[in-house]
Amino acid sequence: MIVIAIANQKGGVGKTTTAINIATAMAATGWKTLLIDLDPQGNASTGMGLASADREGSSYDIVVDEVPLADCVHPTNIPGLDLVPATVDLSGAEVELVSVEDRTYRLRQALAGHRGHDICFIDCPPSLGLLTLNALGAADTLLVPLQCEFFALEGLSQLLQTVERVQQRFNPDLGIIGVVLTMFDRRNRLTDQVADDVRDCLGKLVFEAVIPRNVRLSEAPSHGLPALVYDHSCAGSRAYIALARELIGRLPEKRKAA
């Protein structure tokens, strides 16, 4: 199983929307997919239609109480896609983990040797705290959603510095599979300028697929559905399908063969 953390310490960049829809797209192409909601807000869980009352067995139980991963996996309405939900308890996890010796390895230990899924996406909280460090420590690679706005590159620089520290200290194999531009609005000249700056800076690391501002992407979570199910023909859904194709092309050959 390849593990991909979806992270950006800046909130409101389309991180959870990306997690939900890229996981759905991968499941639709035949990959047995696991989505782990590691954000205390639990938006990915809500967006997948799992009510708070039905989240017995969660990411909190895994990282704090060391409950086996298999006991926290919930099926979804999407064939081939399972979910480890988040609960509000997760908001206190960082405080509870402070005195734990292996606090940055809890998720990595839970995922070690897991069978039954081909690929796993981790939706990280909008911060660079212990939960995100757990995700980066457990991940093989990192997918970064980047909003097309003025402060995007500044936030990205901070995230890349954190990735470098993680590589040096406890996960030397962590890579970055790519950066995806989100909330792209062709009517806005600044959007084009930011996109050009990001591509000039990062080159081929930036995915060709660009996620547009799209009403359907915003509406879908309120119905407990990924946009790909809510309206598979909308511009946002088509963009995530294109992103999934690119992502598959960047995975190691041995993973694709598996």
Side-chain angles (χ1 to χ4, degrees):
M1 182 176 73
I2 188 167
V3 180
I4 301 177
I6 300 178
N8 189 326
Q9 79 278 8
K10 192 174 184 305
V13 300
K15 178 178 54 59
T16 297
T17 299
T18 296
I20 291 172
N21 288 290
I22 193 67
T24 300
M26 293 298 288
T29 58
W31 290 67
K32 297 188 71 175
T33 306
L34 178 64
L35 173 59
I36 298 178
D37 189 351
L38 206 62
D39 187 344
Q41 297 177 80
N43 290 337
S45 306
T46 302
M48 290 303 303
L50 189 65
S52 298
D54 298 326
R55 299 179 194 177
E56 185 176 348
S58 68
S59 53
Y60 171 87
D61 298 316
I62 291 171
V63 298
V64 175
D65 295 330
E66 296 185 288
V67 173
L69 177 68
D71 294 344
C72 300
V73 173
H74 296 245
T76 72
N77 293 326
I78 311 301
L81 175 57
D82 294 322
L83 171 71
V84 174
T87 64
V88 69
D89 294 336
L90 199 59
S91 59
E94 298 205 5
V95 175
E96 296 180 59
L97 289 173
V98 165
S99 60
V100 177
E101 187 174 345
D102 60 347
R103 57 185 175 273
T104 55
Y105 293 98
R106 288 297 184 96
L107 188 57
R108 183 175 183 172
Q109 292 165 354
L111 289 172
H114 177 70
R115 298 290 183 269
H117 295 92
D118 302 317
I119 193 165
C120 170
F121 294 97
I122 306 171
D123 183 28
C124 299
S127 69
L128 295 176
L130 269 176
L131 291 175
T132 298
L133 289 177
N134 259 270
L136 296 181
D140 297 301
T141 192
L142 175 66
L143 173 62
V144 184
L146 191 68
Q147 185 180 2
C148 293
E149 63 156 30
F150 182 72
F151 294 112
L153 282 175
E154 183 179 345
L156 179 63
S157 174
Q158 185 179 354
L159 180 63
L160 295 179
Q161 290 173 8
T162 300
V163 170
E164 188 175 341
R165 293 191 191 101
V166 169
Q167 290 169 330
Q168 292 171 350
R169 296 184 182 182
F170 56 92
N171 188 0
D173 297 325
L174 179 67
I176 300 176
I177 201 164
V179 174
V180 57
L181 298 173
T182 62
M183 302 183 183
F184 189 86
D185 187 351
R186 295 190 183 279
R187 299 169 298 178
N188 187 331
R189 215 175 272 178
L190 177 62
T191 296
D192 279 320
Q193 183 181 339
V194 170
D196 290 342
D197 289 346
V198 172
R199 292 190 187 281
D200 288 343
C201 179
L202 300 176
K204 292 183 179 179
L205 197 61
V206 184
F207 287 101
E208 288 298 322
V210 173
I211 311 303
R213 284 193 179 275
N214 183 251
V215 173
R216 293 302 200 184
L217 287 179
S218 301
E219 291 176 349
S222 65
H223 296 270
L225 294 170
L228 272 73
V229 176
Y230 180 65
D231 184 351
H232 71 277
S233 63
C234 73
S237 294
R238 295 197 304 270
Y240 276 114
I241 291 169
L243 177 62
R245 290 197 192 102
E246 271 194 85
L247 180 67
I248 291 171
R250 294 189 183 196
L251 295 176
E253 289 298 326
K254 63 178 182 178
R255 300 288 188 175
K256 287 185 277 189

